[in-house]
Structures are given as C-alpha cells and as structure tokens.
Amino acid sequence: MALRRVGVVGCGLMGAGIAEVCARADLDVVVVESGAAAAAAGRARLETSLKRAEAKGKVADAAAVLDRVRLSTSLDDLADRDLVIEAIVEDTAAKLELFAKLDAVVCAPEALLASNTSSIPIMKLATATTRPTHVLGIHFFNPVPVLPLVELVPSLLTLDETTDRAAEFVGAVLGKHAILSKDRAGFVVNALLIPFILAAIRMLESGFAERDDIDAGLVRGAAHPQGPLALADLIGLDTTKAVAESLYEEFKEPLYAPPPLLARMVDAGLLGRKTGRGFYTY
C-alpha cells in the first residue's frame, strides 16, 4: 500500500517543514492544528517558506505546492490517511493522548502512525494504540526542507514491513537519506549531539571560555558549519533541555544532565531563534 495520503499533526517549525516536503513530493497532505489561529499561522509559515524556495529556484510553483496542503482543526480529517506524522510539543503525556486519538480516528488498518519525536521512546507511544506493529519514529531534522537526513526508529513491536514501507517513503518519495536507529533515548544523532552541546554550555557557565570563542573554536578549528551554542539556539533551548532530560532519565549519565544555565534560560523564555533571544540575540 503506497503512502500517498499524508497527515501531519502540528504546524510549527517541524510540522510545517514536514508538510512542505510532502507537498513538494506531489503528495496529498492534511495538516491538523489545535485551533484556527494556529492553523492560520501554520499556513503563513508554509507560504513564506515556499515563496522563498520559489525565489531560489527550488520550487517551480509555490502556489501549486501549497494547494496540495489542507489545514484543519479536526483530527477527524485524518481518517483516510495512509500515514500520519505527529509533530507536536515534546511532551510525553500530550503525545500519548494524541496517539490514542489517532488510533481511533485513522481508519485504514494498514495505515502507519509515526512520531517526529527526538527523544521519547517509540515503544511508549506505540502502546497507547491498538496497532503497535504499525507505529514507528520518523524523525526529521530542522530545517526539514534543507537537511537530507531522517532517522527511522522501529520499536520492539514494529513490523519489518512497517519499517520497509517507511524507508521507501522517506527515500524514494521524499528523496531523503534514512538511517536506522534502535528505540533508545536520543536515537543516533541526538545521543551524540546533545552531550556535545551541553558540554559547550557548561564551558560557558563555568567561565572557562566566552560564547564567541567557544563557537569560533568549533567552526574554525573543527570545520563545523556553526558553533554548539548557535546550534542550540537553532534547535531551541527548550527542545535541547527536553532531549537532555530524556537522555538522563534513561541512562542516568552526568553528561546528559541539563546544566543549570540551560534550565534558567528556558525558565526565562530565552529559547533561541524562536523567541529572538538565547545565547545570541536575533
């Protein structure tokens, strides 16, 4: 069964990006948001991104791509979807509640339910449904239209056929590069990346080195495209903290524990690019 009708729940930065790459692949996309205002903001985010892509020659007709996306405020509009990708806030309770609702709404027995979570165990989400064999993680990276990588994360109960269908969708349909990860906190990329970012934050917090020197050291000395503190701002400090907490909860290793400075910045609403201020001001 080809995955041609795609649903996305959430139209924030990640959800909008996922919807965009699906629409650019000529798929029929339904995006569900929590309310009319959020749906309007999501549509505006999509329109801005597609117009930018059109100006750069990456999209022939932004309006035609946007026409393949329908915004909704009702999960019932996902009933006929072949694949639904959850891209809501990184909160376990909220995701569990959503997966239970999606299980009841999505009609096709062979339809896949996927999460874009960057840290929450897929097994936990799968057991909120009556179809754990058809649940897996499909984790995109920000910005979704630009970065080519997707992590596929089957749980212990996910069928091989489910993973194969998802891999074909990611590779042959979306043109992304898929890597396979075990269902453990952080998966592949964040299990490597988050401790690296946390080490940079601790270095700044302790006064060992200044912000600009930390980032310049990795950019100019290790050929990184951007420094770890700038990267944390791009990811979002709240997301960085949430992933760190998930890693620490699972492994209890000190290197995964969020530094106090990170926690205080999140409490203050200094979340990085999304709020205009984090380690840098935007």
Side-chain angles (χ1 to χ4, degrees), residues 30-279:
V30 173
V31 183
V32 176
E33 255 295 0
S34 57
R43 185 173 183 84
R45 185 176 288 112
L46 274 165
E47 188 172 2
T48 298
S49 178
L50 285 167
K51 284 183 176 178
R52 188 183 302 122
E54 185 179 52
K56 293 179 179 179
K58 296 180 179 180
V59 170
D61 188 342
V65 175
L66 192 60
D67 283 345
R68 290 193 280 273
V69 181
R70 178 161 57 97
L71 272 294
S72 170
T73 58
S74 174
L75 291 176
D76 290 339
D77 288 331
L78 300 173
D80 67 342
R81 301 292 94 181
D82 304 318
L83 165 67
V84 177
I85 303 172
E86 167 273 313
I88 65 171
V89 64
E90 195 74 349
D91 178 82
T92 301
K95 290 182 188 290
L96 287 172
E97 181 181 2
L98 176 60
F99 268 80
K101 289 179 178 177
L102 290 175
D103 185 47
V105 165
V106 179
C107 294
E110 296 303 310
L112 305 188
L113 302 181
S115 176
N116 185 57
T117 181
S118 54
S119 61
I120 296 171
I122 302 303
M123 187 72 262
K124 186 176 290 187
L125 302 179
T127 54
T129 77
T130 61
R131 58 180 105 186
T133 57
H134 287 63
V135 177
L136 79 165
I138 300 181
H139 180 221
F140 294 81
F141 290 82
N142 180 40
V144 179
V146 176
L147 294 185
L149 186 69
V150 175
E151 290 177 316
L152 295 179
V153 190
S155 79
L156 291 172
L157 298 179
T158 305
L159 289 173
D160 289 343
E161 180 188 355
T162 296
T163 306
D164 292 343
R165 292 173 67 203
E168 182 180 4
F169 171 77
V170 168
V173 179
L174 299 186
K176 301 281 190 183
H177 181 86
I179 61 174
L180 196 63
S181 171
K182 297 293 186 182
D183 183 18
R184 44 166 277 173
F187 312 138
V188 173
V189 174
N190 280 321
L192 296 169
L193 179 63
I194 294 300
F196 163 67
I197 291 175
L198 298 182
I201 296 172
R202 292 190 187 99
M203 185 174 281
L204 175 67
E205 184 176 50
S206 69
F208 187 89
E210 297 298 320
R211 177 198 70 185
D212 291 351
D213 291 334
I214 293 169
D215 277 1
L218 273 297
V219 172
R220 297 178 181 275
H224 287 212
Q226 62 186 149
L229 299 175
L231 180 57
D233 277 356
L234 177 62
I235 294 169
L237 301 194
D238 52 342
T239 302
T240 301
K241 178 173 176 285
V243 178
E245 289 171 337
S246 180
L247 286 162
Y248 184 72
E249 181 182 354
E250 181 151 323
F251 300 111
K252 299 298 188 291
E253 294 282 355
L255 77 162
Y256 296 129
L261 175 59
L262 176 62
R264 298 297 181 274
M265 292 178 73
V266 171
D267 288 343
L270 307 177
L271 307 183
R273 287 182 178 270
K274 68 176 77 174
T275 59
R277 183 180 167 194
F279 292 107

